[in-house]
């Protein structure tokens, strides 16, 4: 068994990591915000005021002399039920021991801070996939990434901007549109769903109303867009893709889950180039034991002793 151990870094140590990123050249996990989180976590040690609001972060490292064999950055998601590993870098081309130590270390740190789940995304076919699995992260969903086509000038109907009052409706849509096998591993409660929604990193949200509730949701971020559709009609799917094309960035990416077959077929018909395949993984840090319901039980009457 490896004796390597990942240790949480102080804000001062995190601030000194930036010049060393060149030595940590192998990116095991490299999402859109990992490096920014590393910088902002270091800025917290400077005492500067008027800094933009930033999520709670945790930076861990496996030390090697005065340097590091690997570094991991995680951020707290909305609601505090889960965290996401945004960056994991190692100095060597392949170093399973360091990856496992970082996975164990970040899981321990997240649990200490009250989190129940750790999420991470990595590319399908990654040479580090086995090490991540040995570190406790199990893949439960496949995401196909497509480059968004050029936008059109069509109207946004039937979509409208989502409001705070739509949060419960979006969760109910999630329960209808996403297979139970995925929801069981990803978001068994509404608090977990808030964390997953935060991991999408969307800036604008749009919904479609229907007699049964919300029938579609679109979240658009700076680089990635996500979609949930309960109605697989061609008209709604076309309207959804039109909306994404109008609002996605110049280099926007549409993330399509493996169960969204109709949406993926429509994207392929529009000629969206496929950029790759990504695996969404989770490590559960606490077992959810729901309270057993109390039910009345018939009992025979007994005569009390005189």
């Amino acid at each position: 068994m490896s004796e390597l151990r990942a240790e949480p870094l102080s804000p001062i140590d995190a601030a000194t990591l930036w010049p060393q990123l060149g030595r940590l050249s192998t990116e095991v996990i490299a999402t859109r915000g990992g490096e920014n989180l590393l910088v902002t976590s270091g800025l917290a040690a400077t005492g500067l005021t008027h800094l933009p609001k930033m999520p709670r972060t945790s930076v861990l490292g496996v030390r090697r002399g005065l340097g590091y064999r690997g570094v991991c950055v995680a951020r707290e998601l909305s609601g505090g039920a889960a965290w996401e590993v945004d960056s994991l870098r190692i100095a060597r081309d392949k170093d399973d021991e360091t990856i496992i130590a970082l996975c164990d270390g970040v899981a321990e740190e997240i649990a200490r801070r009250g989190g129940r789940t750790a999420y991470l995304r990595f590319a399908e076919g990654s040479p580090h996939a086995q090490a991540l699995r040995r570190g406790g992260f199990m893949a439960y969903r496949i995401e196909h990434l497509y480059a968004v086509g050029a936008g059109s000038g069509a109207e946004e109907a039937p979509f409208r901007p989502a409001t705070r009052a739509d949060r419960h409706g979006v969760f109910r849509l999630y329960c209808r549109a996403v297979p139970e096998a995925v929801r069981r591993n990803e978001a068994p409660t509404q608090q977990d769903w808030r964390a997953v929604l935060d991991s999408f990193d969307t800036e604008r949200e749009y919904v479609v109303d229907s007699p049964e509730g919300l029938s579609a949701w679109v979240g658009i971020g700076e680089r990635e867009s996500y979609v949930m559709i309960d109605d697989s009609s061609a008209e709604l799917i076309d309207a959804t893709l039109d909306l994404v094309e109008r609002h996605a960035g110049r280099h926007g990416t549409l993330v399509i889950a493996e169960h969204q077959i109709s949406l993926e077929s429509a994207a392929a018909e529009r000629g969206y180039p496929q950029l790759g395949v990504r695996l969404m993984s989770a490590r559960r840090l606490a077992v959810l034991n729901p309270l057993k319901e109390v039910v009345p039980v018939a009992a025979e009457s007994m005569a009390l002793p005189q």
Side-chain angles (χ1 to χ4, degrees):
M1 185 175 178
S2 173
E3 296 181 358
L4 290 181
R5 182 174 177 81
E7 300 176 351
L9 304 184
S10 68
I12 294 294
D13 288 335
T16 63
L17 272 177
W18 181 254
Q20 302 186 49
L21 288 184
R23 302 175 186 174
L24 300 167
S25 57
T26 302
E27 296 179 335
V28 180
I29 306 295
T31 57
R32 52 203 171 274
E35 293 177 353
N36 291 335
L37 286 174
L38 188 61
V39 175
T40 52
S41 62
L43 286 175
T46 64
L48 295 176
T49 58
H50 304 295
L51 289 174
K53 185 179 180 180
M54 56 187 179
R56 293 174 66 197
T57 59
S58 179
V59 183
L60 294 93
V62 176
R63 297 182 183 272
R64 180 179 59 187
L66 298 178
Y68 296 90
R69 286 181 59 168
V71 169
C72 176
V73 182
R75 67 180 174 111
E76 184 185 40
L77 299 175
S78 178
W83 291 55
E84 181 180 15
V85 178
D86 278 328
S87 179
L88 197 158
R89 292 168 170 262
I90 55 177
R92 304 173 183 174
D93 292 337
K94 200 170 188 311
D95 191 346
D96 289 358
E97 290 184 349
T98 297
I99 294 175
I100 295 171
L102 288 170
C103 290
D104 290 340
V106 75
E108 181 179 343
E109 181 66 12
I110 291 171
R112 187 183 67 81
R113 296 192 181 197
R116 297 196 301 263
T117 309
Y119 298 108
L120 63 79
R121 296 172 168 89
F122 64 93
E124 185 181 48
S126 169
H128 313 288
Q130 184 63 31
L132 292 172
R133 282 192 290 269
R134 290 172 59 192
F137 285 90
M138 298 294 124
Y140 63 86
R141 186 177 67 188
I142 300 176
E143 297 177 335
H144 300 268
L145 309 181
Y146 286 87
V148 178
S152 62
E155 296 293 331
E156 293 189 358
F159 282 91
R160 64 170 176 81
T163 65
R164 189 181 184 90
D166 293 316
R167 287 184 175 180
H168 184 64
V170 173
F171 177 65
R172 293 182 62 186
L173 171 63
Y174 169 77
C175 294
R176 297 194 307 270
V178 177
E180 193 272 339
V182 175
R183 290 186 280 110
R184 184 174 60 248
N185 291 283
E186 184 174 65
T189 68
Q190 189 164 355
Q191 186 183 22
D192 293 305
W193 163 242
R194 285 180 59 193
V196 173
L197 187 62
D198 188 24
S199 76
F200 293 163
D201 203 17
T202 59
E203 299 174 347
R204 289 165 291 172
E205 299 179 35
Y206 300 87
V207 294
V208 174
D209 295 303
S210 71
E212 295 76 23
L214 301 180
S215 60
W217 170 88
V218 175
I220 298 176
E222 182 180 357
R223 297 187 181 180
E224 293 183 350
S225 300
Y226 291 81
V227 172
M228 284 191 300
I229 300 179
D230 186 34
D231 181 2
S232 59
S233 65
E235 294 79 6
L236 183 56
I237 290 177
D238 286 338
T240 299
L241 294 180
D242 289 341
L243 180 72
V244 172
E245 290 174 3
R246 282 194 302 276
H247 293 284
R250 181 178 179 183
H251 302 289
T253 300
L254 176 61
V255 181
I256 302 178
E258 60 179 325
H259 62 270
Q260 297 177 310
I261 300 175
S262 299
L263 182 64
E264 187 171 11
S265 298
E269 290 177 1
R270 294 195 178 204
Y272 287 13
Q274 186 168 4
L275 302 177
V277 180
R278 192 169 62 187
L279 300 180
M280 182 74 172
S281 301
R283 175 168 173 171
R284 189 68 62 178
L285 309 178
V287 178
L288 297 178
N289 291 320
L291 295 176
K292 294 181 173 58
E293 296 182 0
V294 178
V295 296
V297 178
E300 297 181 359
S301 60
M302 299 179 62
L304 296 176
Q306 298 298 323

